[in-house]
Amino acid sequence: MGVAAIGLVVSDIEISEHFYKNILGMKEAGEFSLDEQWSNDAGAANGKPFSVRQFKMKDLSCATVLKLAYFDKTEKQADDNGIDIHSGVNYITLFYNAQDFKEVMERISESGIEKVGWVKRESYQLVFIKDPDGIFVEIVGPPDK
């Protein structure tokens, strides 16, 4: 029991895949496409076909899957200044060990991705950044030694 997957609709799958795989270090976990019939039966995509690329933090059967769904054309949402602007999925949280956290922070800096905020506490630290579609990503790791 648990959260099997989280789905995000992205405006550009190549840019989003690069972000989640090469910047955040997620692993590919398969992909699939759904046709108009499936979309109509499910009632969730206005009858439009779409595809999904899946990623995990670790290659474990129990790991939560991040599904990046993409259509022929999807508009980016307006850029929000905070997670308090509207209801819905506004951020996701990813946990890293000390070494992985350091490596992710280096890739974020090298890529020029803006750090929205950085909280350092006695028992943890976390950094907020935004993904290519403006979804906040909370990156949590152990405190600096």
Side-chain angles (χ1 to χ4, degrees):
M1 302 276 300
V3 176
I6 306 270
L8 301 177
V9 175
V10 299
S11 61
D12 186 316
I13 188 57
E14 302 307 326
I15 291 172
S16 292
E17 179 176 357
H18 173 78
F19 175 81
Y20 283 99
K21 189 169 129 184
N22 299 327
I23 304 297
L24 299 183
M26 297 187 85
K27 313 291 183 234
E28 293 179 32
E31 62 184 303
F32 58 91
S33 294
L34 302 162
D35 61 16
E36 292 90 352
Q37 184 62 52
W38 189 96
S39 184
N40 279 321
D41 291 347
N46 295 309
K48 295 178 186 168
F50 64 100
S51 297
V52 177
R53 291 189 190 164
Q54 303 177 103
F55 300 88
K56 291 182 178 184
M57 291 293 288
K58 298 286 181 188
D59 190 18
L60 301 171
S61 61
C62 62
T64 301
V65 174
L66 178 65
K67 294 179 174 181
L68 300 182
Y70 58 102
F71 295 80
D72 283 338
K73 183 173 167 99
T74 300
E75 300 281 327
K76 268 179 100 168
Q77 292 185 26
D79 194 23
D80 291 333
N81 292 327
I83 62 172
D84 62 322
I85 303 301
H86 57 79
S87 64
V89 177
N90 296 318
Y91 73 99
I92 62 172
T93 303
L94 304 174
F95 287 92
Y96 294 89
N97 64 32
Q99 182 61 37
D100 291 342
F101 184 87
K102 180 181 175 194
E103 290 172 5
V104 167
M105 289 300 100
E106 288 171 1
R107 289 192 299 264
I108 288 169
S109 292
E110 290 168 2
S111 298
I113 296 170
E114 177 187 0
K115 294 174 191 80
V116 177
W118 195 325
V119 176
K120 294 185 178 189
R121 297 293 185 262
E122 198 172 297
S123 60
Y124 69 91
Q125 62 181 313
L126 66 84
V127 174
F128 269 105
I129 61 173
K130 291 183 182 180
D131 85 350
D133 284 295
I135 299 292
F136 285 81
V137 179
E138 179 184 32
I139 300 166
V140 181
D144 288 332
K145 302 261 178 187

